[in-house]
Amino acid sequence: QVAVREFRLPFTDVLATVTSTPAECWHLPQKGRIRVGAEADLLLLDHDSLEITHTIAAGVSRDVFERRAVVQP
């Protein structure tokens, strides 16, 4: 949030810093990007605050605010 809001860095650059760049450094080709063959681990962010609202990993969706898991078929 700070990088985007206060330092006005482009969101896509900040996103790469915490997604594809670490995946490349750790040699994890199945992580860090949304593409065919990759694991679909996702974070959903609130548009205005950039707070994480949901996580989806290994087929399980978690509502960050309610701290509950919802299994997706």
Side-chain angles (χ1 to χ4, degrees):
Q1 296 170 357
V2 172
V4 173
R5 300 212 185 274
E6 293 181 25
F7 295 106
R8 304 215 182 272
L9 296 173
F11 181 75
T12 53
D13 292 350
V14 173
L15 188 61
T17 301
V18 296
T19 58
S20 58
T21 301
E24 290 171 9
C25 288
W26 286 96
H27 305 286
L28 300 170
Q30 73 282 12
K31 300 282 190 184
R33 289 185 170 76
I34 300 171
R35 65 172 175 226
V36 174
E39 294 179 9
D41 297 342
L42 303 172
L43 295 176
L44 303 182
L45 307 176
D46 178 82
H47 180 271
D48 296 321
S49 69
L50 299 179
E51 292 284 334
I52 299 169
T53 61
H54 289 78
T55 62
I56 302 171
V60 177
S61 173
R62 296 188 185 276
D63 182 319
V64 174
F65 295 116
E66 294 182 19
R67 305 271 189 231
R68 62 183 168 89
V70 179
V71 177
Q72 302 292 328

Coordinates of all heavy atoms in Angstrom, one line a residue:
Q1 N 0.8 -1.2 0.0 CA 0.0 0.0 0.0 C 0.9 1.2 0.0 O 0.6 2.2 -0.7 CB -0.9 0.0 1.2 CG -1.9 -1.1 1.3 CD -2.6 -1.1 2.6 OE1 -2.3 -0.4 3.5 NE2 -3.5 -2.0 2.7
V2 N 1.9 1.2 0.8 CA 2.7 2.4 1.0 C 3.4 2.7 -0.4 O 3.5 3.9 -0.8 CB 3.8 2.2 2.1 CG1 4.8 3.4 2.1 CG2 3.0 2.2 3.4
A3 N 4.0 1.7 -1.0 CA 4.7 1.8 -2.2 C 3.8 2.4 -3.3 O 4.2 3.3 -4.1 CB 5.2 0.5 -2.7
V4 N 2.5 2.0 -3.4 CA 1.6 2.5 -4.4 C 1.1 3.9 -4.0 O 1.0 4.8 -4.9 CB 0.4 1.5 -4.6 CG1 -0.6 2.1 -5.5 CG2 1.0 0.2 -5.1
R5 N 0.6 4.0 -2.8 CA -0.1 5.3 -2.4 C 0.9 6.4 -2.1 O 0.7 7.5 -2.6 CB -1.0 5.0 -1.2 CG -2.0 4.0 -1.5 CD -3.3 4.2 -0.8 NE -4.3 3.2 -1.0 CZ -5.1 3.2 -2.0 NH1 -5.1 4.1 -2.9 NH2 -6.0 2.2 -2.1
E6 N 1.9 6.1 -1.3 CA 2.8 7.2 -0.9 C 3.9 7.5 -1.9 O 4.3 8.6 -2.1 CB 3.3 7.0 0.5 CG 2.2 7.0 1.6 CD 2.8 6.7 3.0 OE1 4.0 7.0 3.2 OE2 2.0 6.3 3.8
F7 N 4.5 6.4 -2.4 CA 5.7 6.6 -3.3 C 5.2 6.6 -4.7 O 6.0 6.8 -5.6 CB 6.7 5.5 -3.0 CG 7.3 5.6 -1.7 CD1 7.0 4.7 -0.7 CD2 8.2 6.6 -1.4 CE1 7.6 4.8 0.6 CE2 8.8 6.7 -0.1 CZ 8.5 5.8 0.9
R8 N 3.9 6.3 -5.0 CA 3.3 6.4 -6.3 C 4.0 5.5 -7.3 O 4.2 5.8 -8.5 CB 3.3 7.8 -6.8 CG 2.5 8.8 -5.9 CD 1.8 9.8 -6.6 NE 1.1 10.7 -5.8 CZ -0.1 10.6 -5.3 NH1 -0.8 9.5 -5.6 NH2 -0.7 11.5 -4.5
L9 N 4.4 4.3 -6.8 CA 5.0 3.3 -7.8 C 3.9 2.7 -8.5 O 2.8 2.5 -7.9 CB 5.8 2.3 -7.0 CG 7.1 2.9 -6.3 CD1 7.7 1.8 -5.5 CD2 8.1 3.4 -7.3
P10 N 4.1 2.3 -9.8 CA 3.0 1.6 -10.5 C 2.6 0.3 -9.8 O 3.5 -0.5 -9.4 CB 3.6 1.3 -11.9 CG 4.8 2.3 -12.0 CD 5.3 2.5 -10.6
F11 N 1.3 0.0 -9.7 CA 0.8 -1.2 -9.0 C 1.4 -2.4 -9.7 O 1.8 -3.4 -8.9 CB -0.7 -1.2 -9.1 CG -1.3 -2.4 -8.4 CD1 -1.3 -2.5 -7.1 CD2 -1.8 -3.5 -9.2 CE1 -1.9 -3.6 -6.4 CE2 -2.3 -4.6 -8.6 CZ -2.3 -4.7 -7.2
T12 N 1.6 -2.5 -11.0 CA 2.1 -3.7 -11.6 C 3.5 -4.0 -11.2 O 3.9 -5.1 -11.1 CB 2.0 -3.6 -13.2 OG1 2.6 -2.4 -13.6 CG2 0.5 -3.6 -13.6
D13 N 4.3 -2.9 -11.0 CA 5.7 -3.1 -10.6 C 5.8 -3.6 -9.2 O 6.6 -4.5 -8.8 CB 6.5 -1.8 -10.7 CG 6.7 -1.3 -12.1 OD1 6.4 -2.1 -13.0 OD2 7.1 -0.1 -12.3
V14 N 4.9 -3.0 -8.3 CA 4.9 -3.5 -6.9 C 4.4 -4.9 -6.8 O 5.0 -5.7 -6.1 CB 4.0 -2.6 -6.1 CG1 3.8 -3.1 -4.7 CG2 4.5 -1.1 -6.0
L15 N 3.4 -5.3 -7.6 CA 2.9 -6.6 -7.6 C 4.0 -7.6 -8.0 O 4.1 -8.7 -7.4 CB 1.7 -6.7 -8.6 CG 0.9 -8.0 -8.6 CD1 0.3 -8.2 -7.2 CD2 -0.2 -7.9 -9.7
A16 N 4.8 -7.3 -9.1 CA 5.8 -8.2 -9.5 C 6.9 -8.4 -8.4 O 7.4 -9.5 -8.2 CB 6.5 -7.7 -10.7
T17 N 7.1 -7.4 -7.6 CA 8.1 -7.5 -6.5 C 7.7 -8.6 -5.5 O 8.5 -9.2 -4.8 CB 8.2 -6.1 -5.8 OG1 8.6 -5.2 -6.7 CG2 9.2 -6.2 -4.6
V18 N 6.4 -8.8 -5.3 CA 5.9 -9.8 -4.3 C 5.3 -11.1 -4.9 O 4.9 -11.9 -4.2 CB 4.9 -9.2 -3.3 CG1 5.6 -8.0 -2.5 CG2 3.7 -8.7 -4.1
T19 N 5.4 -11.2 -6.3 CA 4.8 -12.4 -6.9 C 5.9 -13.1 -7.8 O 6.5 -14.0 -7.4 CB 3.6 -12.0 -7.7 OG1 3.9 -11.0 -8.7 CG2 2.4 -11.5 -6.8
S20 N 6.0 -12.6 -9.0 CA 6.9 -13.3 -10.0 C 8.4 -13.2 -9.6 O 9.1 -14.1 -9.9 CB 6.6 -12.7 -11.4 OG 6.9 -11.3 -11.4
T21 N 8.8 -12.1 -9.1 CA 10.2 -11.9 -8.8 C 10.7 -13.0 -7.7 O 11.7 -13.7 -7.9 CB 10.6 -10.5 -8.4 OG1 10.2 -9.6 -9.4 CG2 12.1 -10.4 -8.0
P22 N 10.0 -13.1 -6.6 CA 10.4 -14.1 -5.6 C 10.3 -15.5 -6.2 O 11.1 -16.4 -5.9 CB 9.4 -14.0 -4.4 CG 8.9 -12.6 -4.6 CD 8.9 -12.3 -6.0
A23 N 9.3 -15.8 -7.0 CA 9.1 -17.1 -7.6 C 10.3 -17.4 -8.5 O 10.8 -18.6 -8.5 CB 7.8 -17.2 -8.4
E24 N 10.7 -16.5 -9.2 CA 11.9 -16.7 -10.1 C 13.2 -16.9 -9.3 O 14.0 -17.8 -9.6 CB 12.1 -15.5 -11.0 CG 11.0 -15.4 -12.1 CD 11.1 -14.1 -12.9 OE1 12.0 -13.3 -12.7 OE2 10.1 -13.9 -13.7
C25 N 13.3 -16.1 -8.2 CA 14.5 -16.3 -7.3 C 14.6 -17.6 -6.7 O 15.7 -18.2 -6.5 CB 14.5 -15.2 -6.3 SG 14.9 -13.5 -6.9
W26 N 13.4 -18.2 -6.4 CA 13.4 -19.5 -5.7 C 13.2 -20.6 -6.7 O 13.0 -21.8 -6.3 CB 12.3 -19.5 -4.6 CG 12.6 -18.7 -3.4 CD1 12.3 -17.4 -3.2 CD2 13.4 -19.1 -2.3 NE1 12.8 -17.0 -2.0 CE2 13.5 -18.0 -1.4 CE3 14.1 -20.3 -2.0 CZ2 14.3 -18.1 -0.3 CZ3 14.8 -20.4 -0.8 CH2 14.9 -19.3 0.0
H27 N 13.2 -20.3 -8.0 CA 13.1 -21.3 -9.0 C 11.8 -22.1 -8.9 O 11.8 -23.3 -8.9 CB 14.3 -22.2 -9.1 CG 15.6 -21.5 -9.2 ND1 16.0 -20.9 -10.4 CD2 16.6 -21.2 -8.3 CE1 17.2 -20.4 -10.2 NE2 17.6 -20.5 -8.9
L28 N 10.7 -21.4 -8.8 CA 9.4 -22.0 -8.6 C 8.5 -21.5 -9.9 O 7.7 -20.6 -9.8 CB 8.7 -21.5 -7.3 CG 9.4 -21.9 -6.1 CD1 8.8 -21.1 -4.9 CD2 9.4 -23.4 -5.8
P29 N 8.7 -22.2 -11.0 CA 8.0 -21.8 -12.2 C 6.5 -21.9 -12.1 O 5.8 -21.3 -12.9 CB 8.6 -22.7 -13.3 CG 9.1 -23.9 -12.5 CD 9.5 -23.4 -11.2
Q30 N 6.0 -22.7 -11.2 CA 4.5 -22.9 -11.1 C 3.9 -21.8 -10.2 O 2.7 -21.8 -10.0 CB 4.2 -24.3 -10.5 CG 4.5 -24.5 -9.1 CD 6.0 -24.8 -8.7 OE1 6.9 -24.6 -9.5 NE2 6.2 -25.1 -7.5
K31 N 4.7 -20.9 -9.7 CA 4.2 -19.9 -8.8 C 4.5 -18.5 -9.4 O 5.3 -18.3 -10.3 CB 5.0 -19.9 -7.4 CG 4.8 -21.2 -6.6 CD 3.5 -21.3 -6.0 CE 3.3 -22.4 -5.0 NZ 2.0 -22.5 -4.4
G32 N 3.8 -17.5 -8.8 CA 4.1 -16.1 -9.1 C 3.4 -15.5 -10.3 O 3.5 -14.3 -10.6
R33 N 2.7 -16.3 -11.1 CA 2.0 -15.8 -12.3 C 0.7 -16.5 -12.5 O 0.5 -17.7 -12.0 CB 2.8 -16.0 -13.6 CG 4.1 -15.2 -13.6 CD 4.8 -15.4 -15.0 NE 5.8 -14.4 -15.2 CZ 7.0 -14.4 -14.6 NH1 7.3 -15.4 -13.7 NH2 7.9 -13.5 -14.8
I34 N -0.2 -15.9 -13.2 CA -1.5 -16.6 -13.6 C -1.3 -17.0 -15.0 O -1.2 -16.2 -15.9 CB -2.7 -15.6 -13.4 CG1 -2.8 -15.1 -12.0 CG2 -4.0 -16.3 -13.9 CD1 -3.8 -14.0 -11.8
R35 N -1.2 -18.3 -15.2 CA -1.1 -18.8 -16.6 C -1.4 -20.3 -16.5 O -1.4 -21.0 -15.5 CB 0.3 -18.6 -17.1 CG 1.4 -19.3 -16.3 CD 2.8 -19.2 -17.0 NE 3.7 -19.8 -16.1 CZ 4.9 -19.3 -15.8 NH1 5.3 -18.1 -16.3 NH2 5.7 -19.9 -15.0
V36 N -1.5 -20.9 -17.7 CA -1.8 -22.3 -17.8 C -0.6 -23.1 -17.3 O 0.5 -22.8 -17.5 CB -2.0 -22.7 -19.3 CG1 -2.2 -24.2 -19.5 CG2 -3.3 -22.0 -19.9
G37 N -0.9 -24.1 -16.4 CA 0.1 -24.9 -15.8 C 0.6 -24.4 -14.5 O 1.3 -25.1 -13.8
A38 N 0.2 -23.2 -14.1 CA 0.7 -22.6 -12.8 C -0.3 -22.9 -11.8 O -1.5 -23.2 -12.1 CB 0.8 -21.1 -13.0
E39 N 0.1 -22.9 -10.5 CA -0.8 -23.1 -9.4 C -1.6 -21.8 -9.2 O -1.1 -20.7 -9.3 CB 0.0 -23.4 -8.1 CG 0.7 -24.8 -8.3 CD 1.5 -25.1 -7.0 OE1 1.4 -24.5 -6.0 OE2 2.2 -26.1 -7.1
A40 N -2.9 -22.0 -9.0 CA -3.8 -20.8 -9.0 C -3.9 -20.3 -7.5 O -5.0 -20.3 -7.0 CB -5.1 -21.2 -9.5
D41 N -2.8 -19.8 -7.0 CA -2.8 -19.2 -5.7 C -3.1 -17.7 -5.9 O -2.3 -17.0 -6.6 CB -1.5 -19.4 -4.9 CG -1.2 -20.8 -4.6 OD1 -2.2 -21.6 -4.6 OD2 -0.1 -21.1 -4.3
L42 N -4.1 -17.1 -5.4 CA -4.5 -15.8 -5.6 C -4.8 -15.0 -4.4 O -5.2 -15.6 -3.4 CB -5.8 -15.7 -6.5 CG -5.7 -16.4 -7.8 CD1 -7.1 -16.5 -8.5 CD2 -4.7 -15.8 -8.8
L43 N -4.6 -13.7 -4.4 CA -5.0 -12.8 -3.4 C -6.0 -11.8 -4.0 O -5.7 -11.3 -5.1 CB -3.9 -11.9 -2.8 CG -2.8 -12.7 -2.1 CD1 -1.7 -11.7 -1.7 CD2 -3.3 -13.3 -0.8
L44 N -7.1 -11.6 -3.4 CA -8.1 -10.6 -3.9 C -8.0 -9.4 -3.0 O -8.0 -9.5 -1.8 CB -9.5 -11.1 -3.9 CG -9.7 -12.4 -4.7 CD1 -11.2 -12.8 -4.6 CD2 -9.3 -12.3 -6.1
L45 N -7.8 -8.2 -3.6 CA -7.6 -7.0 -2.9 C -8.8 -6.0 -3.0 O -9.5 -6.0 -4.1 CB -6.4 -6.2 -3.4 CG -5.1 -7.0 -3.5 CD1 -4.0 -6.1 -4.2 CD2 -4.7 -7.4 -2.2
D46 N -9.1 -5.3 -2.0 CA -10.1 -4.2 -2.1 C -9.6 -3.1 -3.0 O -8.4 -2.7 -2.9 CB -10.3 -3.6 -0.7 CG -11.3 -2.5 -0.7 OD1 -12.5 -2.8 -0.7 OD2 -10.9 -1.3 -0.7
H47 N -10.4 -2.7 -3.9 CA -10.0 -1.7 -4.9 C -9.5 -0.4 -4.3 O -8.5 0.1 -4.8 CB -11.2 -1.4 -5.9 CG -10.8 -0.4 -6.9 ND1 -11.0 0.9 -6.7 CD2 -10.3 -0.6 -8.2 CE1 -10.6 1.6 -7.8 NE2 -10.2 0.7 -8.7
D48 N -10.1 0.1 -3.3 CA -9.8 1.4 -2.7 C -8.6 1.3 -1.7 O -7.7 2.1 -1.8 CB -11.0 2.0 -2.1 CG -12.1 2.3 -3.1 OD1 -11.8 2.7 -4.2 OD2 -13.3 2.1 -2.8
S49 N -8.7 0.4 -0.8 CA -7.7 0.3 0.3 C -6.5 -0.5 -0.1 O -5.5 -0.4 0.6 CB -8.4 -0.2 1.5 OG -8.7 -1.6 1.4
L50 N -6.6 -1.4 -1.0 CA -5.6 -2.4 -1.4 C -5.4 -3.4 -0.3 O -4.4 -4.2 -0.2 CB -4.3 -1.8 -1.8 CG -4.3 -0.9 -3.0 CD1 -2.9 -0.3 -3.3 CD2 -4.8 -1.6 -4.2
E51 N -6.3 -3.5 0.7 CA -6.3 -4.5 1.7 C -6.6 -5.9 1.1 O -7.5 -6.0 0.2 CB -7.3 -4.2 2.8 CG -6.9 -3.0 3.6 CD -5.8 -3.2 4.6 OE1 -5.6 -4.4 5.0 OE2 -5.1 -2.2 4.9
I52 N -6.0 -7.0 1.6 CA -6.4 -8.3 1.2 C -7.7 -8.7 1.7 O -8.0 -8.5 2.9 CB -5.3 -9.3 1.6 CG1 -4.0 -9.0 1.0 CG2 -5.7 -10.7 1.3 CD1 -2.8 -9.8 1.6
T53 N -8.6 -9.1 0.8 CA -10.0 -9.5 1.3 C -10.2 -11.0 1.3 O -10.9 -11.5 2.1 CB -11.1 -8.8 0.4 OG1 -10.9 -9.2 -0.9 CG2 -11.0 -7.3 0.5
H54 N -9.6 -11.7 0.3 CA -9.7 -13.1 0.2 C -8.4 -13.7 -0.3 O -7.6 -13.0 -1.0 CB -10.8 -13.5 -0.9 CG -12.1 -13.3 -0.5 ND1 -12.7 -12.0 -0.5 CD2 -13.1 -14.1 0.0 CE1 -14.0 -12.1 -0.1 NE2 -14.2 -13.3 0.2
T55 N -8.1 -14.9 0.1 CA -7.0 -15.7 -0.5 C -7.6 -17.0 -1.1 O -8.6 -17.5 -0.6 CB -6.0 -16.1 0.6 OG1 -6.5 -16.9 1.6 CG2 -5.4 -14.8 1.2
I56 N -7.0 -17.4 -2.1 CA -7.4 -18.7 -2.7 C -6.1 -19.5 -3.0 O -5.2 -19.0 -3.7 CB -8.1 -18.5 -4.1 CG1 -9.4 -17.6 -3.9 CG2 -8.5 -19.8 -4.7 CD1 -10.0 -17.2 -5.1
A57 N -6.0 -20.6 -2.3 CA -4.8 -21.4 -2.4 C -5.2 -22.9 -2.3 O -6.0 -23.3 -1.4 CB -3.8 -21.1 -1.4
A58 N -4.7 -23.7 -3.2 CA -5.0 -25.2 -3.2 C -6.5 -25.4 -3.2 O -7.0 -26.4 -2.6 CB -4.3 -25.8 -2.0
G59 N -7.2 -24.6 -4.0 CA -8.7 -24.8 -4.1 C -9.5 -24.3 -2.9 O -10.7 -24.5 -2.9
V60 N -8.9 -23.7 -2.0 CA -9.6 -23.2 -0.8 C -9.6 -21.7 -0.8 O -8.6 -21.1 -0.8 CB -9.0 -23.8 0.5 CG1 -9.7 -23.2 1.7 CG2 -9.0 -25.3 0.5
S61 N -10.8 -21.1 -0.7 CA -11.0 -19.7 -0.6 C -11.1 -19.3 0.8 O -11.9 -19.9 1.6 CB -12.2 -19.3 -1.4 OG -12.5 -17.9 -1.2
R62 N -10.4 -18.3 1.3 CA -10.5 -17.9 2.7 C -10.9 -16.4 2.7 O -10.2 -15.6 2.0 CB -9.2 -18.0 3.4 CG -8.8 -19.5 3.5 CD -7.6 -19.6 4.4 NE -7.1 -21.0 4.5 CZ -7.6 -21.9 5.3 NH1 -8.6 -21.7 6.1 NH2 -7.2 -23.2 5.2
D63 N -12.0 -16.1 3.4 CA -12.4 -14.7 3.6 C -11.5 -14.2 4.7 O -11.6 -14.6 5.8 CB -13.9 -14.7 4.0 CG -14.4 -13.3 4.1 OD1 -13.7 -12.5 4.7 OD2 -15.6 -13.1 3.7
V64 N -10.7 -13.2 4.4 CA -9.7 -12.7 5.4 C -10.5 -12.0 6.5 O -10.0 -12.1 7.7 CB -8.7 -11.8 4.7 CG1 -7.8 -11.1 5.7 CG2 -7.9 -12.5 3.6
F65 N -11.6 -11.4 6.3 CA -12.3 -10.7 7.3 C -13.0 -11.6 8.3 O -13.0 -11.4 9.5 CB -13.3 -9.7 6.7 CG -12.6 -8.6 6.0 CD1 -12.8 -8.4 4.6 CD2 -11.7 -7.7 6.6 CE1 -12.2 -7.4 3.9 CE2 -11.1 -6.7 5.9 CZ -11.3 -6.5 4.5
E66 N -13.6 -12.7 7.7 CA -14.3 -13.6 8.6 C -13.5 -14.8 9.0 O -13.9 -15.6 9.8 CB -15.6 -14.1 7.8 CG -16.5 -13.0 7.6 CD -17.8 -13.4 6.9 OE1 -18.1 -14.7 6.9 OE2 -18.5 -12.6 6.3
R67 N -12.3 -14.9 8.5 CA -11.4 -16.0 8.9 C -12.1 -17.4 8.7 O -12.0 -18.3 9.5 CB -10.9 -15.9 10.3 CG -10.3 -14.6 10.6 CD -8.8 -14.7 10.3 NE -8.1 -13.5 10.8 CZ -7.3 -12.8 10.0 NH1 -7.1 -13.1 8.8 NH2 -6.7 -11.7 10.5
R68 N -12.8 -17.6 7.6 CA -13.4 -18.9 7.4 C -13.0 -19.4 6.0 O -12.7 -18.6 5.1 CB -14.9 -18.7 7.4 CG -15.5 -17.8 6.4 CD -17.0 -17.7 6.5 NE -17.5 -16.6 5.7 CZ -17.9 -16.8 4.4 NH1 -17.9 -17.9 3.9 NH2 -18.4 -15.7 3.7
A69 N -12.9 -20.7 5.9 CA -12.6 -21.3 4.6 C -13.8 -21.8 3.9 O -14.7 -22.3 4.5 CB -11.6 -22.5 4.9
V70 N -13.8 -21.6 2.6 CA -14.8 -22.0 1.7 C -14.2 -22.9 0.6 O -13.4 -22.4 -0.2 CB -15.6 -20.9 1.0 CG1 -16.7 -21.4 0.1 CG2 -16.2 -19.9 2.1
V71 N -14.5 -24.2 0.6 CA -13.9 -25.1 -0.4 C -14.6 -24.9 -1.7 O -15.9 -25.0 -1.8 CB -14.0 -26.5 0.0 CG1 -13.4 -27.4 -1.0 CG2 -13.2 -26.7 1.3
Q72 N -13.9 -24.6 -2.8 CA -14.4 -24.4 -4.1 C -14.3 -25.7 -4.9 O -13.2 -26.3 -4.9 CB -13.7 -23.3 -4.9 CG -13.7 -22.0 -4.2 CD -15.0 -21.4 -4.2 OE1 -15.9 -21.5 -5.1 NE2 -15.3 -20.6 -3.1
P73 N -15.4 -26.2 -5.5 CA -15.3 -27.5 -6.3 C -14.4 -27.3 -7.5 O -14.2 -26.3 -8.0 CB -16.7 -27.8 -6.7 CG -17.5 -26.5 -6.4 CD -16.7 -25.6 -5.5

